[in-house]
Amino acid sequence: MLKILVAEDEAHNRDAITETLTRMGHTVVACLDGRQALEAMSSSEFDLVLSDVRMPNMDGLQLFAASRKLLNKKTPFVFMTAYGRLEEAVSAMKQGALHFLTKPMRKKDLAPILNEVEIMVGLPKASVSTTDFSVPI
């Protein structure tokens, strides 16, 4: 299973995502914003970062850029947003993001991404149920 860093400022979203990923068997470290996530990345390795785009102190795109530039990390990033602006998605993907999801997320959308990352890090592909879950906005 994966070690996943979740960066989400909304407590109910963060808790729901963390609980779902934990139930799926993944190890999760949850952070309140991009700065806290960057600190976590500086002291530990993660297989995946699942980050909200809009957060206080340091947003998801700034976190992504800082992780690449300051920490020289190549950790795959998946961005999530409640706003779903096409410009943000295009910008994130051009910068090297793995995926861009719109909230509320569904497990059937996240499961193939997790499988993809498991293969990227050399784990056998998991058979993840695609039962829906919604994260409240």
Side-chain angles (χ1 to χ4, degrees):
M1 289 293 146
L2 298 171
K3 184 173 181 184
I4 302 172
L5 177 64
V6 173
E8 167 63 71
D9 60 316
E10 295 290 334
H12 61 277
N13 289 350
R14 186 176 56 253
D15 293 344
I17 293 165
T18 298
E19 182 179 332
T20 299
L21 291 171
T22 300
R23 268 198 239 135
M24 293 169 73
H26 301 290
T27 301
V28 180
V29 174
C31 297
L32 306 173
D33 61 28
R35 283 190 187 155
Q36 193 178 70
L38 190 61
E39 284 181 29
M41 291 182 78
S42 70
S43 61
S44 188
E45 294 295 321
F46 294 93
D47 298 312
L48 174 66
V49 175
L50 186 58
S51 177
D52 190 8
V53 173
R54 295 185 183 181
M55 297 180 288
N57 300 318
M58 176 185 280
D59 70 29
L61 296 174
Q62 292 168 327
L63 169 62
F64 179 75
S67 74
R68 296 299 197 254
K69 186 176 181 180
L70 301 176
L71 301 178
N72 198 29
K73 301 276 184 174
K74 301 295 183 214
T75 309
F77 266 70
V78 173
F79 289 105
M80 51 190 178
T81 185
Y83 305 101
R85 289 187 31 219
L86 181 62
E87 303 83 33
E88 287 177 334
V90 169
S91 174
M93 299 303 281
K94 281 184 178 179
Q95 292 178 50
L98 184 63
H99 289 282
F100 193 96
L101 298 172
T102 302
K103 296 182 214 171
M105 295 185 310
R106 297 184 181 275
K107 189 174 178 182
K108 69 178 185 176
D109 297 327
L110 189 57
I113 296 168
L114 298 175
N115 286 336
E116 181 180 349
V117 174
E118 287 176 342
I119 292 167
M120 289 170 62
V121 300
L123 297 173
K125 183 177 176 181
S127 57
V128 177
S129 164
T130 57
T131 303
D132 287 352
F133 79 92
S134 292
V135 177
I137 297 175

